[in-house]
Tab-separated table of all heavy atoms in Angstrom:
chain	number	residue	atom	x	y	z
A	8	ASN	N	29.677	-76.118	-26.659
A	8	ASN	CA	29.504	-74.754	-26.148
A	8	ASN	C	28.670	-73.878	-27.062
A	8	ASN	O	28.630	-72.668	-26.876
A	8	ASN	CB	30.869	-74.125	-25.903
A	8	ASN	CG	31.635	-74.833	-24.799
A	8	ASN	OD1	31.096	-75.310	-23.833
A	8	ASN	ND2	32.966	-74.938	-24.987
A	9	SER	N	28.042	-74.476	-28.045
A	9	SER	CA	27.216	-73.728	-28.961
A	9	SER	C	25.719	-74.030	-28.681
A	9	SER	O	25.396	-74.927	-27.933
A	9	SER	CB	27.548	-74.069	-30.434
A	9	SER	OG	28.932	-73.820	-30.674
A	10	SER	N	24.857	-73.273	-29.344
A	10	SER	CA	23.431	-73.523	-29.201
A	10	SER	C	23.092	-74.818	-29.923
A	10	SER	O	23.718	-75.224	-30.924
A	10	SER	CB	22.593	-72.372	-29.767
A	10	SER	OG	22.854	-72.170	-31.096
A	11	VAL	N	22.061	-75.516	-29.454
A	11	VAL	CA	21.655	-76.750	-30.097
A	11	VAL	C	21.005	-76.465	-31.439
A	11	VAL	O	20.404	-75.391	-31.668
A	11	VAL	CB	20.669	-77.580	-29.227
A	11	VAL	CG1	21.328	-77.965	-27.885
A	11	VAL	CG2	19.397	-76.793	-28.973
A	12	LYS	N	21.159	-77.392	-32.374
A	12	LYS	CA	20.579	-77.279	-33.714
A	12	LYS	C	19.446	-78.245	-33.988
A	12	LYS	O	18.717	-78.113	-34.931
A	12	LYS	CB	21.656	-77.445	-34.766
A	12	LYS	CG	22.872	-76.527	-34.599
A	12	LYS	CD	22.459	-75.054	-34.603
A	12	LYS	CE	23.674	-74.134	-34.451
A	12	LYS	NZ	23.274	-72.727	-34.283
A	13	LYS	N	19.331	-79.243	-33.082
A	13	LYS	CA	18.262	-80.230	-33.199
A	13	LYS	C	17.323	-79.994	-32.017
A	13	LYS	O	17.742	-80.017	-30.870
A	13	LYS	CB	18.803	-81.665	-33.159
A	13	LYS	CG	19.702	-82.008	-34.322
A	13	LYS	CD	20.244	-83.431	-34.170
A	13	LYS	CE	21.163	-83.768	-35.351
A	13	LYS	NZ	21.754	-85.140	-35.161
A	14	TYR	N	16.066	-79.756	-32.307
A	14	TYR	CA	15.098	-79.396	-31.265
A	14	TYR	C	14.223	-80.580	-30.964
A	14	TYR	O	13.177	-80.775	-31.595
A	14	TYR	CB	14.314	-78.172	-31.702
A	14	TYR	CG	15.189	-77.018	-32.042
A	14	TYR	CD1	15.271	-76.525	-33.357
A	14	TYR	CD2	16.008	-76.393	-31.088
A	14	TYR	CE1	16.091	-75.419	-33.680
A	14	TYR	CE2	16.833	-75.322	-31.395
A	14	TYR	CZ	16.876	-74.870	-32.666
A	14	TYR	OH	17.668	-73.795	-32.993
A	15	ILE	N	14.621	-81.406	-30.002
A	15	ILE	CA	13.935	-82.607	-29.632
A	15	ILE	C	13.663	-82.621	-28.159
A	15	ILE	O	14.632	-82.492	-27.339
A	15	ILE	CB	14.725	-83.836	-30.036
A	15	ILE	CG1	14.843	-83.957	-31.586
A	15	ILE	CG2	14.082	-85.129	-29.508
A	15	ILE	CD1	15.743	-85.060	-32.052
A	16	GLY	N	12.428	-82.715	-27.746
A	16	GLY	CA	12.071	-82.753	-26.354
A	16	GLY	C	11.085	-83.849	-26.059
A	16	GLY	O	10.960	-84.810	-26.835
A	17	THR	N	10.423	-83.738	-24.962
A	17	THR	CA	9.409	-84.731	-24.542
A	17	THR	C	7.992	-84.162	-24.614
A	17	THR	O	7.045	-84.806	-24.187
A	17	THR	CB	9.675	-85.204	-23.081
A	17	THR	OG1	9.564	-84.034	-22.201
A	17	THR	CG2	11.072	-85.822	-22.956
A	18	GLY	N	7.838	-82.928	-25.125
A	18	GLY	CA	6.569	-82.232	-24.993
A	18	GLY	C	5.474	-82.754	-25.901
A	18	GLY	O	5.685	-83.631	-26.757
A	19	PRO	N	4.277	-82.224	-25.763
A	19	PRO	CA	3.111	-82.719	-26.482
A	19	PRO	C	3.113	-82.397	-27.979
A	19	PRO	O	2.386	-83.012	-28.756
A	19	PRO	CB	1.918	-82.003	-25.790
A	19	PRO	CG	2.514	-80.774	-25.188
A	19	PRO	CD	3.887	-81.146	-24.790
A	20	TYR	N	3.941	-81.447	-28.408
A	20	TYR	CA	4.047	-81.099	-29.815
A	20	TYR	C	5.512	-81.093	-30.213
A	20	TYR	O	6.372	-80.747	-29.415
A	20	TYR	CB	3.370	-79.761	-30.095
A	20	TYR	CG	1.867	-79.857	-30.012
A	20	TYR	CD1	1.239	-79.726	-28.805
A	20	TYR	CD2	1.104	-80.142	-31.140
A	20	TYR	CE1	-0.137	-79.848	-28.679
A	20	TYR	CE2	-0.273	-80.284	-31.042
A	20	TYR	CZ	-0.897	-80.158	-29.818
A	20	TYR	OH	-2.271	-80.304	-29.735
A	21	LYS	N	5.776	-81.444	-31.449
A	21	LYS	CA	7.164	-81.534	-31.951
A	21	LYS	C	7.326	-80.597	-33.148
A	21	LYS	O	6.354	-80.254	-33.833
A	21	LYS	CB	7.510	-82.929	-32.306
A	21	LYS	CG	6.695	-83.517	-33.461
A	21	LYS	CD	7.136	-84.986	-33.743
A	21	LYS	CE	6.346	-85.560	-34.915
A	21	LYS	NZ	6.808	-86.943	-35.236
A	22	LEU	N	8.563	-80.211	-33.377
A	22	LEU	CA	8.850	-79.325	-34.500
A	22	LEU	C	8.728	-80.092	-35.801
A	22	LEU	O	9.338	-81.172	-35.984
A	22	LEU	CB	10.299	-78.780	-34.368
A	22	LEU	CG	10.776	-77.879	-35.516
A	22	LEU	CD1	9.925	-76.614	-35.572
A	22	LEU	CD2	12.255	-77.552	-35.323
A	23	ALA	N	7.886	-79.563	-36.686
A	23	ALA	CA	7.672	-80.213	-37.996
A	23	ALA	C	8.362	-79.486	-39.119
A	23	ALA	O	8.869	-80.080	-40.061
A	23	ALA	CB	6.176	-80.348	-38.277
A	24	GLU	N	8.374	-78.123	-38.996
A	24	GLU	CA	8.926	-77.324	-40.097
A	24	GLU	C	9.260	-75.936	-39.599
A	24	GLU	O	8.511	-75.368	-38.768
A	24	GLU	CB	7.922	-77.262	-41.259
A	24	GLU	CG	8.447	-76.578	-42.503
A	24	GLU	CD	7.416	-76.554	-43.624
A	24	GLU	OE1	6.330	-77.161	-43.442
A	24	GLU	OE2	7.694	-75.960	-44.682
A	25	TRP	N	10.342	-75.366	-40.084
A	25	TRP	CA	10.723	-73.993	-39.739
A	25	TRP	C	11.130	-73.298	-41.000
A	25	TRP	O	12.143	-73.628	-41.585
A	25	TRP	CB	11.844	-73.996	-38.716
A	25	TRP	CG	12.150	-72.637	-38.155
A	25	TRP	CD1	11.773	-71.399	-38.628
A	25	TRP	CD2	12.956	-72.324	-37.006
A	25	TRP	NE1	12.235	-70.386	-37.867
A	25	TRP	CE2	12.972	-70.933	-36.842
A	25	TRP	CE3	13.671	-73.137	-36.092
A	25	TRP	CZ2	13.662	-70.292	-35.797
A	25	TRP	CZ3	14.331	-72.487	-35.051
A	25	TRP	CH2	14.351	-71.083	-34.898
A	26	SER	N	10.337	-72.345	-41.404
A	26	SER	CA	10.677	-71.480	-42.513
A	26	SER	C	11.084	-70.128	-41.962
A	26	SER	O	10.246	-69.337	-41.524
A	26	SER	CB	9.451	-71.323	-43.459
A	26	SER	OG	9.763	-70.515	-44.560
A	27	PRO	N	12.393	-69.888	-41.919
A	27	PRO	CA	12.888	-68.695	-41.194
A	27	PRO	C	12.185	-67.392	-41.637
A	27	PRO	O	11.989	-67.165	-42.871
A	27	PRO	CB	14.361	-68.673	-41.557
A	27	PRO	CG	14.701	-70.099	-41.790
A	27	PRO	CD	13.476	-70.685	-42.450
A	28	ASP	N	11.821	-66.572	-40.643
A	28	ASP	CA	11.150	-65.288	-40.846
A	28	ASP	C	9.771	-65.442	-41.466
A	28	ASP	O	9.178	-64.464	-41.923
A	28	ASP	CB	12.004	-64.350	-41.682
A	28	ASP	CG	13.256	-63.912	-40.955
A	28	ASP	OD1	13.212	-63.760	-39.730
A	28	ASP	OD2	14.306	-63.729	-41.638
A	29	ARG	N	9.239	-66.657	-41.490
A	29	ARG	CA	7.920	-66.875	-42.076
A	29	ARG	C	6.996	-67.575	-41.069
A	29	ARG	O	5.990	-67.032	-40.638
A	29	ARG	CB	8.007	-67.652	-43.391
A	29	ARG	CG	8.804	-66.903	-44.468
A	29	ARG	CD	8.940	-67.742	-45.732
A	29	ARG	NE	7.654	-67.869	-46.391
A	29	ARG	CZ	7.215	-68.997	-47.001
A	29	ARG	NH1	7.947	-70.079	-46.906
A	29	ARG	NH2	6.058	-69.038	-47.622
A	30	TYR	N	7.330	-68.823	-40.695
A	30	TYR	CA	6.528	-69.518	-39.717
A	30	TYR	C	7.288	-70.713	-39.149
A	30	TYR	O	8.292	-71.171	-39.712
A	30	TYR	CB	5.199	-70.002	-40.355
A	30	TYR	CG	5.388	-71.030	-41.433
A	30	TYR	CD1	5.497	-72.409	-41.143
A	30	TYR	CD2	5.438	-70.626	-42.761
A	30	TYR	CE1	5.688	-73.328	-42.129
A	30	TYR	CE2	5.640	-71.563	-43.762
A	30	TYR	CZ	5.752	-72.898	-43.465
A	30	TYR	OH	5.910	-73.827	-44.463
A	31	ILE	N	6.796	-71.166	-37.994
A	31	ILE	CA	7.235	-72.425	-37.386
A	31	ILE	C	6.010	-73.301	-37.250
A	31	ILE	O	5.012	-72.878	-36.683
A	31	ILE	CB	7.926	-72.171	-36.048
A	31	ILE	CG1	9.228	-71.368	-36.239
A	31	ILE	CG2	8.225	-73.501	-35.329
A	31	ILE	CD1	9.862	-70.981	-34.899
C-alpha cells in the first residue's frame, strides 16, 4: 500500500542515478 521504491519499466530509457534535489 506504499509507493514503489524501485523504478523499473519497459520504456526506452532507464533510471541510472537520482541525486535528490539536484538531478535525475
Side-chain angles (χ1 to χ4, degrees):
N8 294 324
S9 302
S10 61
V11 298
K12 305 304 180 186
K13 297 177 182 178
Y14 304 115
I15 295 174
T17 61
Y20 288 86
K21 64 181 181 179
L22 179 63
E24 186 178 356
W25 188 346
S26 180
D28 293 325
R29 298 177 69 220
Y30 64 85
I31 294 174

